[in-house]
Amino acid sequence: MISRKQWEKLDDFRAVDLALADFVQQRLGAGEPLGLAAALASRALGEGHTFVDLARWHAAQPDLAGTLPLADWLALLQDSEAVAPSAGDAPLVLEDGRLYLARQWQAEESVAYRLRQLLQQPASELPPESAGWLRELFPQASAGPDWQMAACTLAAHRRLAIITGGPGTGKTTTVIRLLALLQRIARPSSLRIRLAAPTGKAAARLSESISGKLLELPMGFSGGVPSEVVTLHRLLGSGVRGKRFAHHADNPLHADVVVVDEASMIDLEMMQALLDALPQHARLILLGDKDQLASVEAGSVLGELCRDAGVPAYDADTLEVLGRLTGQEFSASAGAGDRLAQHIVMLRHSHRFGADSQIGRMAAAINQGDADTLADLCRQEDETVQLSAYPALMPALVEGLADYLRRVAAPVPADGADQHAIATLQALAQFQVLCAVRSGPHGVVALNAQIVSALQRQQLLPLASQSHSEWFAGRPVMMTRNDYTLEVMNGDVGVTLMTPRGLRVVFNVGGSMRWVLPGRIESAETAFAMTIHKSQGSEFDTACIVLPEDADSPVLTRELLYTAVTRAKKRVLLLAPPAVLQQSVQRRVERASALRDKL
């Protein structure tokens, strides 16, 4: 049998992986093969997988055939007290060759069970007037399939709706019209609607977008459609009495409809918490781009659910509902799709990036893994998309943030402080540096230090005062942990301004400006540069994307690059060697999950 000394060399195990192996071996009396399995399950979780496929991993280790045959290994696991076929006291769960940490198995089972419940709910009978209301909400619906109208129709008809699509395809517009339709159907009652997003930045952007689009609704439809958007953590409530969240199965949310934007960022355990807190009668509407980066934590829930969304396969009942209520023809989307497929609509037409848009073509090339087209786009003499060397960063940043730098240099007026802060935060969004990594010469930490130093040398930013150490007027910061006392959450971005009362950091929290003393902020970092992961749910006029020089870095993937590029509204500046760009497009994120199969 294999020894600890042998198997530790087989993979790149972390200290926490080895600690779990020690626990299984020493506390539970398991042997070395069990320790290896535990370390693999732990490492898989650290890489975002829900489980480790033991057969696949074993096949990639040809030297193990003699020392640890797969059949013998699986038999040992099945006979061990450390492993169970379902959640219980054992730390590991083995199911069809998939080895889970028990907590991840329980989360996957719970999410699958709750989704099956939603899928099994009978369709809502819509009143005869619904077809007319849909035409009022979509007066310019095209002759061909209008997918926004289709999404609104199916979501009103079913308890679970998933609306996916790339940037600018109208997910927000669709959901506003959907909520207006649902409130119209519910009259004379009024539905309790809650809107949420995974991060503070995504919540603030959605809230701002909804506030503007509510004015576009036809007369008589805007009543009861909320514009306040909160983070998922705020929606579920901070933990009490040992529970992770205040809202759960025994204390569900007070809501009839729950809408979650940027759902690609939701990890498996957060989805479990959300579904656990969802009232049995409530509708759940998930919005997101299936091609974006998955969550930082384990799981890729939206990606798994939308795995086949690109090719709709609607059954006869779904086609009948679409045809009857929209008056359009959807027969080209007929197919033998499963139950989940009847609840998903993919929006296809981008209103932000036209068919000939450079950024739109760039995003499409990345999604398709077309490195040649991407290289051609970067070589064209078009300022919309540029590939440059690293020294181009500072000149571009100073130009892109000129308005921001002017605003932070001016003292905040005593009257109109909130308006000044809003304008300053908007100016900050004109240019954002996005990094693939945190460490290294081209990571977030190093670039933020370099940017601050360069701007201070050029006297475009003041030096930090002795009394405030790292704080100075003009310092943008991102929260790195939730702070329930200040009511600012992980991912919220604020800017430091000089007020008549001294330095203050101001955040836009759901449309309300929150002014905070710098000394009260315990967990924040400078945000001239942020990771691409942290940028999800945000939009910037110019996205300056900085990739590391190491083309073999595992973080460089098609999904990472697509997410970064689609943060830009007007311009993409790529700082990377061409070989790194090519390699990034050709590598995909693959996360082990059985959620889709369990539905």
Side-chain angles (χ1 to χ4, degrees), residues 10-124:
L10 293 176
D11 229 316
D12 186 18
F13 293 111
R14 305 166 300 165
V16 67
D17 306 331
L18 298 176
L20 180 62
D22 289 337
F23 172 81
V24 168
Q25 290 181 238
Q26 296 171 13
R27 295 283 298 275
L28 302 179
E32 296 290 2
L34 271 295
L36 168 60
L40 287 171
S42 175
R43 187 181 65 89
L45 176 63
E47 294 179 348
H49 304 294
T50 308
F51 60 81
V52 57
D53 185 329
L54 294 177
R56 184 175 180 180
W57 183 86
H58 190 276
Q61 308 289 338
D63 294 340
L64 280 183
T67 57
L68 186 63
L70 179 61
D72 294 348
W73 193 21
L74 293 175
L76 283 171
L77 291 173
Q78 290 169 342
D79 292 340
S80 172
E81 293 183 0
V83 183
S86 61
D89 295 331
L92 302 170
V93 172
L94 181 63
E95 178 184 71
D96 298 329
R98 302 186 296 261
L99 186 68
Y100 297 79
L101 297 181
R103 180 169 171 173
Q104 292 303 306
W105 182 88
Q106 183 61 56
E108 187 174 86
E109 285 290 312
S110 175
V111 169
Y113 172 75
R114 192 69 178 92
L115 288 176
R116 287 196 301 269
Q117 281 188 319
L118 289 169
L119 293 173
Q120 290 165 0
Q121 294 296 318
S124 302

Side-chain angles (χ1 to χ4, degrees), residues 285-300:
I285 302 164
L286 301 177
L287 309 175
D289 185 345
K290 69 180 181 63
D291 296 313
Q292 275 191 197
L293 275 170
S295 59
V296 176
E297 304 299 331
S300 178

Side-chain angles (χ1 to χ4, degrees), residues 179-212:
L179 297 178
L181 176 64
L182 290 174
Q183 289 287 30
R184 187 67 174 264
I185 292 171
R187 289 181 183 175
S189 300
S190 181
L191 298 173
R192 296 170 298 178
I193 299 173
R194 300 299 306 274
L195 308 177
T199 67
K201 200 160 191 179
R205 188 172 68 84
L206 180 60
S207 180
E208 181 180 350
S209 179
I210 288 176
S211 296

Side-chain angles (χ1 to χ4, degrees), residues 97 161 187 274 315 429:
R187 289 181 183 175
L274 173 64
D315 61 24

Side-chain angles (χ1 to χ4, degrees), residues 127-448:
E129 300 90 344
S130 297
W133 292 336
L134 273 167
R135 287 174 176 77
E136 286 187 65
L137 289 166
F138 295 90
Q140 299 178 346
S142 58
D146 186 310
W147 290 105
Q148 289 188 24
M149 195 176 187
C152 194
T153 301
L154 291 187
H157 198 59
R158 301 201 161 105
R159 195 71 61 83
L160 170 68
I162 302 172
I163 303 172
T164 186
T169 52
K171 296 185 291 295
T172 304
T173 299
T174 301
V175 81
I176 291 171
R177 294 176 184 180
L178 166 62
L179 297 178
L181 176 64
L182 290 174
Q183 289 287 30
R184 187 67 174 264
I185 292 171
R187 289 181 183 175
S189 300
S190 181
L191 298 173
R192 296 170 298 178
I193 299 173
R194 300 299 306 274
L195 308 177
T199 67
K201 200 160 191 179
R205 188 172 68 84
L206 180 60
S207 180
E208 181 180 350
S209 179
I210 288 176
S211 296
K213 292 184 182 298
L214 282 175
L215 302 176
E216 301 173 7
L217 287 173
M219 184 72 69
F221 277 95
S222 60
V225 179
S227 60
E228 180 187 9
V229 186
V230 298
T231 64
L232 279 172
H233 281 86
R234 285 194 182 100
L235 176 73
L236 297 176
S238 56
V240 292
R241 296 186 180 90
K243 291 188 176 291
R244 185 181 178 196
F245 292 113
H247 290 289
H248 42 76
D250 296 328
N251 181 33
L253 293 164
H254 303 293
D256 302 305
V257 180
V258 176
V259 179
V260 184
D261 194 19
E262 298 292 348
S264 64
M265 300 168 65
I266 305 177
D267 61 77
L268 186 64
E269 291 195 41
M270 179 58 84
M271 183 61 76
Q272 178 189 17
L274 173 64
L275 290 170
D276 192 39
L278 188 74
Q280 291 294 322
H281 73 280
R283 296 175 185 271
L284 176 63
I285 302 164
L286 301 177
L287 309 175
D289 185 345
K290 69 180 181 63
D291 296 313
Q292 275 191 197
L293 275 170
S295 59
V296 176
E297 304 299 331
S300 178
V301 178
L302 187 73
E304 274 282 287
L305 298 180
C306 296
R307 189 171 63 195
D308 304 318
V311 183
Y314 295 137
D315 61 24
D317 289 343
T318 299
L319 292 174
E320 189 277 328
V321 169
L322 287 173
R324 173 165 49 86
L325 292 177
T326 68
Q328 296 183 345
E329 182 61 52
F330 286 87
S331 58
S333 300
D338 62 7
R339 186 169 51 194
L340 176 62
Q342 314 312 309
H343 295 250
I344 300 174
V345 176
M346 180 173 173
L347 307 182
R348 290 161 169 77
H349 176 66
S350 177
H351 302 276
R352 186 191 308 172
F353 307 132
D356 296 327
S357 158
Q358 292 290 87
I359 297 178
R361 292 173 63 196
M362 187 180 194
I366 294 168
N367 248 344
Q368 295 160 12
D370 189 346
D372 292 337
T373 297
L374 180 60
D376 289 341
L377 288 168
C378 291
R379 282 194 291 264
Q380 294 178 13
E381 294 183 2
D382 187 327
E383 290 189 358
T384 305
V385 172
Q386 289 181 298
L387 177 63
S388 299
Y390 297 119
L393 171 60
M394 283 310 303
L397 182 138
V398 170
E399 179 183 353
L401 289 182
D403 183 35
Y404 172 77
L405 294 170
R406 282 194 297 269
R407 289 182 181 277
V408 297
V412 176
D415 295 327
D418 283 358
Q419 289 73 21
H420 180 86
I422 290 170
T424 304
L425 284 165
Q426 290 173 342
L428 179 64
Q430 291 176 6
F431 187 99
Q432 181 64 54
V433 180
L434 304 177
C435 301
V437 295
R438 285 192 55 80
S439 58
H442 303 112
V444 166
V445 176
L447 285 183
N448 272 318

